[in-house]
Amino acid sequence: MADSFYSFKSADKLTFTDNGMFQAVLHEPGVCAELVERLLGVRVKKVEYPELEKTIAPYYISKGVRLDVYLKDEDKVIDVEMQSQPQEALGKRARYYQSMVDCDSLMKGDDYTKLKESYILFICKQDPFKDANEHKFGLSRYTFRNVCDENKGVKLDDKTLKIFYNATAYEKERDEKVRAFLKFVCTNDPGEDEYSNNLFATVEKLKVNEKFLLEYAAMNIREMDLVRESKKEQAVEDAVMLIKKYNATPETAASDTGAPLDKVLEALKEPTPAN
């Protein structure tokens, strides 16, 4: 997943949780199915890696966020995300991913009544939730369902589930297999867990796999291009603000912000949205 910042990491230093490596390891259906079954407690009969509908993909990519591992089963769709760095508004991020998965399904021709069960799974290397005083809650997992405030027995039954795992609290996890996996995510030590050792071994093989190395290099180029484009768009917005708020000339504003002058002039011609 592309974040608001980007730092390049050499392939020989990659771990399972790193961007690019995580997606590559889980692109093996058996490995992916076992992870889902271990962390979600649901059986996966068939693993598919669908491509986003073309009408959605351009907008999706332009937002700077993309699904890490998006898979389908016969009766469910699952998005698996690895969060190596803390993220702001993680709940809204999960909401956005949920909407993209549903829209993708509907644009392929499904009626909303036929939407499959949907799971959004976040694996976080840090505790993703804090209280108003910035104190971490310290749970090993956080599970969210839509229920009625007035009567908890009334469920919305929208067939969606969002689960966030906190790897730093692996010692608190009761499920032995989940605990072993979270410890591997937190420490990069697979211990004696067979599945975690399989993941670790796959990572080591991919580090010297020519196909993966080429794909990883290409991914980094794409990510850097996205970051540059995002910075350019922000610079244009800043330049327009200087012009409108402080009466700066387009030339001065473009120079001060590093924005391309032609893009600044183009933005000035766009009509201001009505309130």
Side-chain angles (χ1 to χ4, degrees), residues 177-205:
K177 290 185 176 181
V178 174
R179 183 170 63 250
F181 172 76
L182 292 180
K183 181 180 179 181
F184 171 56
V185 169
C186 184
T187 66
N188 198 40
D189 178 5
E192 298 181 1
D193 181 57
E194 182 179 353
Y195 179 69
S196 297
N197 273 279
N198 182 30
L199 295 176
F200 185 84
T202 302
V203 169
E204 295 305 305
K205 290 178 182 177

Side-chain angles (χ1 to χ4, degrees), residues 29-77:
V31 172
C32 194
E34 185 169 347
L35 179 70
V36 167
E37 291 176 3
R38 183 176 288 213
L39 298 185
L40 292 181
V42 297
R43 293 301 304 273
V44 179
K45 299 177 182 177
K46 179 183 178 182
V47 173
E48 248 183 87
Y49 298 95
E51 294 293 330
L52 284 171
E53 188 69 21
K54 291 181 180 179
T55 50
I56 289 181
Y59 171 74
Y60 183 55
I61 292 173
S62 72
K63 296 299 292 183
V65 286
R66 289 183 300 284
L67 303 179
D68 279 347
V69 180
Y70 171 38
L71 62 103
K72 286 187 177 182
D73 191 10
E74 293 177 355
D75 58 353
K76 60 183 72 72
V77 289

Side-chain angles (χ1 to χ4, degrees), residues 22 35-43 68-69 76-83 90-91 93-95 97-98 117-129 139-146 159-167 173 175 178 181-182:
F22 177 74
L35 179 70
V36 167
E37 291 176 3
R38 183 176 288 213
L39 298 185
L40 292 181
V42 297
R43 293 301 304 273
D68 279 347
V69 180
K76 60 183 72 72
V77 289
I78 303 166
D79 169 35
V80 185
E81 298 292 325
M82 174 61 70
Q83 292 287 308
L90 199 56
R93 184 178 288 265
R95 171 182 167 184
Y97 291 165
Q98 179 72 70
E117 291 183 24
S118 177
Y119 297 83
I120 306 297
L121 171 61
F122 277 80
I123 305 166
C124 306
K125 292 191 71 174
Q126 293 85 23
D127 196 328
F129 297 107
L139 300 179
S140 61
R141 76 171 87 183
Y142 302 85
T143 303
F144 298 91
R145 292 183 174 89
N146 290 321
K159 305 299 182 185
T160 66
L161 182 70
K162 300 178 182 69
I163 295 182
F164 299 78
Y165 276 97
N166 168 24
E173 176 56 45
D175 186 292
V178 174
F181 172 76
L182 292 180

Side-chain angles (χ1 to χ4, degrees), residues 83-147:
Q83 292 287 308
S84 295
Q85 301 293 334
Q87 296 290 335
E88 293 183 358
L90 199 56
K92 290 183 178 179
R93 184 178 288 265
R95 171 182 167 184
Y96 180 68
Y97 291 165
Q98 179 72 70
S99 69
M100 295 307 298
V101 169
D102 287 342
C103 286
D104 186 53
S105 179
L106 290 176
M107 294 197 76
K108 286 182 169 66
D110 291 340
D111 183 83
Y112 74 90
T113 59
K114 296 183 178 179
L115 286 174
K116 298 180 178 181
E117 291 183 24
S118 177
Y119 297 83
I120 306 297
L121 171 61
F122 277 80
I123 305 166
C124 306
K125 292 191 71 174
Q126 293 85 23
D127 196 328
F129 297 107
K130 303 175 183 178
D131 63 19
N133 296 315
E134 294 295 306
H135 296 143
K136 298 176 181 178
F137 287 103
L139 300 179
S140 61
R141 76 171 87 183
Y142 302 85
T143 303
F144 298 91
R145 292 183 174 89
N146 290 321
V147 298

Side-chain angles (χ1 to χ4, degrees), residues 210-228:
E210 185 175 353
K211 183 174 182 292
F212 169 75
L213 293 176
L214 289 173
E215 291 176 349
Y216 180 64
M219 182 200 75
N220 278 291
I221 292 172
R222 289 195 299 272
E223 298 290 351
M224 287 187 284
D225 286 344
L226 284 172
V227 171
R228 291 191 191 101

